[in-house]
Amino acid sequence: MPAALRNTVDRLDKPSAYYLGKNKKRKYDRDRDEREERERTPEEPEDPLKDATTLYVGNLSFYTTEEQIHELFAKCGEIKRLVMGLDRFEKTPCGFCFVEYYNHQDALDCMKYIGGTKLDERIIRTDLDPGFQEGRQYGRGKSGGQVRDEYREEYDPGRGGQGRATILERQKEEEEYGKGR
């Protein structure tokens, strides 16, 4: 009978010598081991949208009313709060809003069923939002509205016509042309 055969290749289902040596507890440096342990197992970053109940609704017409939005979005669940996006200076609607529901599932249903539908002949966009905070209801553009409306070159009657920066640029060009420069 032959002697017991010994494999020359280590088994693949056991940890490597490097891994075992790296994880050995050393008596002389316990603090370093604890630091490494914390660094090795970083905590999962908390997802702010995991339980979000607020929706950002974009691409609204400037003429869409709160009642229209409430009527459409109430089909997915009970609305806790609705905040219209306003021009920072004129306090007129500027094409977005926040809809807050009582639970996360209603917000997800709304994204699924209402996102991409038409309201006032415009395809609306819905996204989960981490939560409304005071001050976010105002547009961030230089003229008070949304940034995307500042530089719009095409005419869009549902969003107030021409972009404000484009209008100012054309007026400046017309003045210079009129002066003969």
Side-chain angles (χ1 to χ4, degrees), residues 89-102:
F89 303 120
E90 299 173 21
K91 306 296 186 253
T92 57
C94 67
F96 70 97
C97 74
F98 296 95
V99 179
E100 188 174 349
Y101 287 98
Y102 282 100

Side-chain angles (χ1 to χ4, degrees), residues 85-88 94 96 135-141 144-147:
L86 301 174
D87 184 300
R88 192 175 340 127
C94 67
F96 70 97
R136 289 190 62 205
Q137 74 266 34
Y138 299 115
R140 298 179 306 197
Q146 289 190 60
V147 175

